Amino acid sequence: MTTIYDISKATGFSPTTVSKALNDYSDVSEKTKQIILKKASEMGYIPNSHARILITKKSWTIGILFDEKLNIGMKHPYFNAIIESFKENVESRGYDLLFISKDLGGNRTTYLDHCIIRGIDGVIIITSHPNNEQIIELINSDFPCVLIDNECNRKSSIHSDDVRGCYLAVEYLYSLGHRKIAHIYGSKDTFAGNVRLNEFINSLKKFNLPKIDEYLVDGGYFSFDGGYNAMKKLLELEDLPTAVFTAGDFMAVGAISAIKEKGLRVPEDISIIGYDDLDICKYVTPRLTTIKQNTDLIGKNAADILINEIDKKICRTSMIIPVELVVRDSCKPIK
Amino acid sequence: MTTIYDISKATGFSPTTVSKALNDYSDVSEKTKQIILKKASEMGYIPNSHARILITKKSWTIGILFDEKLNIGMKHPYFNAIIESFKENVESRGYDLLFISKDLGGNRTTYLDHCIIRGIDGVIIITSHPNNEQIIELINSDFPCVLIDNECNRKSSIHSDDVRGCYLAVEYLYSLGHRKIAHIYGSKDTFAGNVRLNEFINSLKKFNLPKIDEYLVDGGYFSFDGGYNAMKKLLELEDLPTAVFTAGDFMAVGAISAIKEKGLRVPEDISIIGYDDLDICKYVTPRLTTIKQNTDLIGKNAADILINEIDKKICRTSMIIPVELVVRDSCKPIK
DNA sequence: ATGAAGCACGAAATGGGTTTCGAAGTTTTA
DNA sequence: TAAAACTTCGAAACCCATTTCGTGCTTCAT
């Protein structure tokens, strides 16, 4: 490995001057710069980031703390879309992305310790269970953070406009003539599950629809099976709903499967509307009508927020991203 | 930030002894160790990994070089499954995962430079186009690498048993009575596309089936659209195939869509068999019969291979992972 | 001619650890 | 009781880059 000392010896200039030339300082003559740069290139000089980070305190690394309940990790199609967008944006601004896990070098460390040990500049927190002790510790620290799909008065956060999303779903079903609308909600210990359940109920009110407790079913952690099982419960009811709004697309697909299994049809007998707009919506039969969360924008803005915070330009930001209704084939006017 | 020098002052022992106590050296008395460890914990000491890496040359970081043609990055359901499995396994062994992008701190760097600058211990290469100049540079270096879904005589590699996978697909279709079997292949400038095309042809021979050139269609980079367009070409043929083997599940779903659009049915009119066993197979209609690639095993073994190489236990490994036929609803005996 | 200003460069401190080797002090052995 | 063998500890070198501050030299204005 070539170091600035090697270049120093080779050119006769001091390591100081070499460093300055490499960093384009103005107090090095153009001639000297050229000599040093040429020699550095000849010798295949590559800077050692750890030495630099040690003294500059800036690692050009952003941590990604990702922990979700389904235990499918990167396979999660909603979160990985956000991560992809975040990654692209953060990389284009010169940062590298490092996964923050709990163990490092075999020793037990907390998330916060891990961030400090690695000297990362900031961290994006993507988690469905923000009540985790270690995450709370991180949020309460003064480490630059941005929370995805959560709210918190100590840290920056970004999430979709679920108020409007739920309203759009109910409005659409209402406009198709549906009055008996059920909701398969995401687990109440997730932020999204909670908010969407509340906003579903609020939206019902706006259309003067009654809140019927049996039409509110827990679909767990947004999984296919959760939606399937929840739908089965709904199908046992005497008075079936004519439409079901699920808090996530996977649950919607599961619900459709339960409905088909019962011998009913979607959307002829029951309309289904999902939430997320995962790729899968286009491939299932019927193609799923849903509320689209703009993962590109969420990821991009999360990057902006975090980097602004790292650069001390902005202290804290709360951002809400628009959603939209995507009409496909899983909803139909009531007969 | 507490340093070993702070602990040194607070306890009266030299920084050397503090460092040794923290690292459990045997030439520090038990009593001294206890005093130092206690004080370190009191003072909230957290080691600085950059200082340590600078001298030990071991960063406990593994790079992930991920570059695929569809430009969907982490959203790619096959690659992200491998990454997830790889991630879990390297993390459990104390390594952190860092994405290797091309730009670092705003300066243009190659993949290899990036790896060296960051001082990572090894890198996993997941790419659909291994002929990229920068990737070749990396492969030709002596940096510890493991290639996913590729083969190379200079570096370790791991991929599925495509020879058997293609045979299984053809055998299954043959056993259902199909004799006119088409293949939608993945782009020839991908490893998987190439191998599967060749092995499809080889498998035909094994069953004494003729190779018909019109039945071999390029499906591009394994996308839905690629499969859709390729299938459209097949459907223009006078003598339609009774079964189609696609080199990837996405292409299979696209193909099904084209068949339906034409007014034909799957599997009644045309049987379709995919490759990969993505989650989506379970959710499309008809549920997709496919060849399952074991992403868990690929990721896990890639981790083992790479870490063994980093630890200098093994120089180079080529590994092939078994595949299996997963029968669902998209194939049917010929009428 | 002289003091001031500007330019080009380098010595040395800094960041936070690890590791080698030597030196005391203590215990064991002959 | 002297020599040998352990224990326990620390000085100092090292890893590789950055940055402050000072120095010598040249150029300019007076």
Side-chain angles (χ1 to χ4, degrees):
Chain A
M1 286 288 11
T2 312
T3 69
I4 55 168
Y5 296 93
D6 299 326
I7 301 175
S8 164
K9 270 177 206 152
T11 58
F13 291 102
S14 73
T16 304
T17 303
V18 172
S19 172
K20 284 179 177 173
L22 258 15
N23 288 293
D24 207 26
Y25 273 53
S26 60
D27 65 343
V28 178
S29 73
E30 202 52 43
K31 210 174 96 194
T32 308
K33 251 179 219 172
Q34 292 312 321
I35 295 170
I36 292 174
L37 257 34
K38 181 157 169 277
K39 188 56 92 177
S41 149
E42 275 173 29
M43 299 177 74
Y45 171 74
I46 295 172
N48 180 314
S49 70
H50 299 293
R52 178 180 293 170
I53 293 166
L54 193 54
I55 194 154
T56 60
K57 311 283 190 196
K58 167 105 185 175
S59 67
W60 290 98
T61 307
I62 285 177
I64 168 164
L65 173 37
F66 176 42
D67 194 3
E68 48 74 58
K69 286 270 189 186
L70 286 181
N71 262 330
I72 55 172
M74 296 306 302
K75 289 180 275 187
H76 199 298
Y78 169 68
F79 290 133
N80 70 31
I82 291 176
I83 290 174
E84 175 60 24
S85 164
F86 181 78
K87 172 172 178 286
E88 283 169 14
N89 281 282
V90 117
E91 284 181 349
S92 75
R93 297 174 69 168
Y95 288 86
D96 275 352
L97 220 50
L98 182 82
F99 280 108
I100 297 301
S101 60
K102 280 183 202 175
D103 268 41
L104 187 64
N107 306 316
R108 285 266 169 79
T109 52
T110 66
Y111 288 136
L112 177 58
D113 285 355
H114 198 145
C115 291
I116 295 175
I117 290 175
R118 285 292 188 179
I120 62 176
D121 299 326
V123 61
I124 177 176
I125 303 178
I126 304 179
T127 177
S128 42
H129 38 312
N131 298 323
N132 176 295
E133 212 176 283
Q134 290 200 9
I135 289 178
I136 291 172
E137 179 195 31
L138 181 53
I139 289 173
N140 287 330
S141 76
D142 50 7
F143 215 88
C145 294
V146 52
L147 289 158
I148 302 291
D149 274 13
N150 268 300
E151 255 173 12
C152 161
N153 52 8
R154 280 195 50 91
K155 290 292 180 191
S156 289
S157 64
I158 184 166
H159 60 82
S160 289
D161 187 355
D162 284 340
V163 175
R164 177 135 182 91
C166 294
Y167 178 83
L168 283 175
V170 173
E171 180 192 49
Y172 178 62
L173 294 174
Y174 188 91
S175 75
L176 295 177
H178 293 282
R179 296 297 178 266
K180 295 192 286 183
I181 305 173
H183 179 49
I184 296 178
Y185 59 87
S187 171
K188 285 183 187 169
D189 51 59
T190 65
F191 176 80
N194 246 321
V195 172
R196 290 174 202 164
L197 175 56
N198 289 333
E199 291 309 322
F200 170 74
I201 295 170
N202 283 339
S203 301
L204 287 182
K205 278 184 205 149
K206 287 178 190 159
F207 292 95
N208 286 315
L209 294 175
K211 173 192 161 199
I212 302 170
D213 285 338
E214 300 88 69
Y215 281 1
L216 268 26
V217 192
D218 188 346
Y221 294 109
F222 297 85
S223 70
F224 177 93
D225 288 343
Y228 176 86
N229 292 326
M231 191 67 223
K232 277 191 121 176
K233 277 189 200 157
L234 284 172
L235 289 168
E236 286 167 8
L237 262 33
E238 289 254 326
D239 190 20
L240 289 183
T242 62
V244 181
F245 166 45
T246 69
D249 286 339
F250 265 129
M251 298 198 295
V253 176
I256 290 173
S257 175
I259 293 170
K260 284 183 178 171
E261 203 175 287
K262 176 90 172 186
L264 297 174
R265 293 157 307 161
V266 178
E268 290 77 4
D269 298 311
I270 298 182
S271 287
I272 298 280
I273 183 166
Y275 208 101
D276 289 339
D277 195 36
L278 307 180
D279 277 349
I280 198 180
C281 296
K282 288 178 271 185
Y283 305 134
V284 294
T285 313
R287 290 159 58 243
L288 191 65
T289 293
T290 193
I291 304 296
K292 177 186 168 77
Q293 296 203 70
N294 195 324
T295 52
D296 278 354
L297 273 183
I298 293 176
K300 183 195 174 318
N301 284 297
D304 286 346
I305 291 172
L306 186 55
I307 292 175
N308 277 332
E309 218 167 296
I310 289 170
D311 293 343
K312 310 260 183 234
K313 286 189 193 149
I314 295 172
C315 294
R316 207 166 68 73
T317 314
S318 274
M319 199 179 276
I320 289 172
I321 303 297
V323 295
E324 55 182 301
L325 173 68
V326 179
V327 175
R328 294 199 183 88
D329 313 327
S330 65
C331 296
K332 215 181 163 180
I334 200 156
K335 2 172 203 195
Chain B
M1 286 289 8
T2 311
T3 70
I4 55 167
Y5 296 93
D6 300 326
I7 300 174
S8 164
K9 272 177 205 153
T11 59
F13 292 102
S14 73
T16 303
T17 303
V18 173
S19 172
K20 285 179 176 173
L22 258 14
N23 288 293
D24 208 25
Y25 271 54
S26 59
D27 65 344
V28 178
S29 74
E30 203 51 45
K31 211 174 97 193
T32 308
K33 253 179 216 171
Q34 292 312 320
I35 295 171
I36 291 174
L37 258 34
K38 181 155 170 276
K39 187 56 90 177
S41 147
E42 276 173 27
M43 298 176 75
Y45 170 74
I46 296 173
N48 180 316
S49 69
H50 300 294
R52 177 179 295 170
I53 294 167
L54 192 54
I55 193 154
T56 60
K57 311 284 187 196
K58 167 106 184 173
S59 67
W60 289 99
T61 306
I62 286 177
I64 168 164
L65 173 36
F66 176 42
D67 194 3
E68 48 73 56
K69 286 269 188 187
L70 286 180
N71 262 329
I72 56 173
M74 296 306 302
K75 289 180 275 188
H76 198 298
Y78 170 67
F79 289 133
N80 71 31
I82 291 176
I83 291 175
E84 174 61 23
S85 164
F86 181 79
K87 173 172 177 284
E88 283 168 14
N89 281 282
V90 293
E91 284 182 348
S92 75
R93 298 173 69 168
Y95 288 85
D96 275 351
L97 219 50
L98 182 82
F99 281 108
I100 298 301
S101 60
K102 280 183 203 174
D103 270 41
L104 187 65
N107 307 317
R108 285 267 168 79
T109 52
T110 66
Y111 288 136
L112 176 59
D113 284 355
H114 198 144
C115 291
I116 295 174
I117 290 175
R118 285 292 189 179
I120 61 176
D121 300 325
V123 62
I124 177 176
I125 302 178
I126 305 179
T127 178
S128 40
H129 39 313
N131 298 323
N132 176 294
E133 210 176 285
Q134 291 201 8
I135 290 179
I136 291 172
E137 179 194 32
L138 181 53
I139 289 173
N140 286 331
S141 76
D142 49 7
F143 215 88
C145 293
V146 52
L147 289 158
I148 302 291
D149 272 14
N150 269 300
E151 255 174 12
C152 161
N153 52 7
R154 281 195 49 93
K155 291 292 180 191
S156 290
S157 64
I158 183 166
H159 59 82
S160 289
D161 187 354
D162 284 340
V163 176
R164 178 137 182 88
C166 294
Y167 178 83
L168 282 176
V170 173
E171 179 191 50
Y172 179 62
L173 294 173
Y174 188 91
S175 75
L176 295 177
H178 293 282
R179 296 297 178 266
K180 295 193 284 181
I181 305 174
H183 178 47
I184 296 178
Y185 59 87
S187 171
K188 284 182 187 169
D189 50 58
T190 66
F191 176 81
N194 246 321
V195 173
R196 289 174 204 165
L197 174 56
N198 288 333
E199 291 310 322
F200 170 74
I201 294 168
N202 283 339
S203 301
L204 287 182
K205 279 183 205 150
K206 288 178 190 159
F207 291 96
N208 286 316
L209 294 175
K211 174 192 161 199
I212 302 170
D213 286 338
E214 299 87 69
Y215 281 2
L216 267 25
V217 192
D218 188 345
Y221 293 110
F222 297 85
S223 69
F224 178 93
D225 288 344
Y228 175 86
N229 292 325
M231 191 66 224
K232 277 190 120 175
K233 278 189 200 156
L234 283 173
L235 289 168
E236 286 167 9
L237 261 34
E238 289 255 326
D239 190 20
L240 288 183
T242 62
V244 181
F245 166 44
T246 69
D249 286 338
F250 265 129
M251 298 198 294
V253 176
I256 290 175
S257 176
I259 294 171
K260 284 183 180 171
E261 204 175 286
K262 176 92 172 183
L264 297 175
R265 293 157 306 162
V266 177
E268 289 77 3
D269 298 311
I270 298 181
S271 287
I272 298 281
I273 184 166
Y275 208 101
D276 288 341
D277 195 36
L278 307 180
D279 278 348
I280 198 179
C281 296
K282 288 177 271 186
Y283 304 134
V284 293
T285 312
R287 289 158 60 243
L288 190 67
T289 292
T290 193
I291 304 296
K292 177 186 169 78
Q293 296 202 71
N294 196 326
T295 52
D296 278 354
L297 273 184
I298 293 176
K300 183 194 174 318
N301 284 298
D304 286 346
I305 291 172
L306 186 54
I307 292 175
N308 276 332
E309 219 167 292
I310 290 170
D311 293 344
K312 311 260 184 234
K313 286 187 192 152
I314 295 172
C315 294
R316 208 165 68 74
T317 312
S318 275
M319 198 178 277
I320 289 171
I321 302 298
V323 294
E324 54 182 302
L325 171 69
V326 179
V327 174
R328 293 200 183 88
D329 314 327
S330 64
C331 297
K332 215 181 163 178
I334 199 155
K335 4 172 201 196

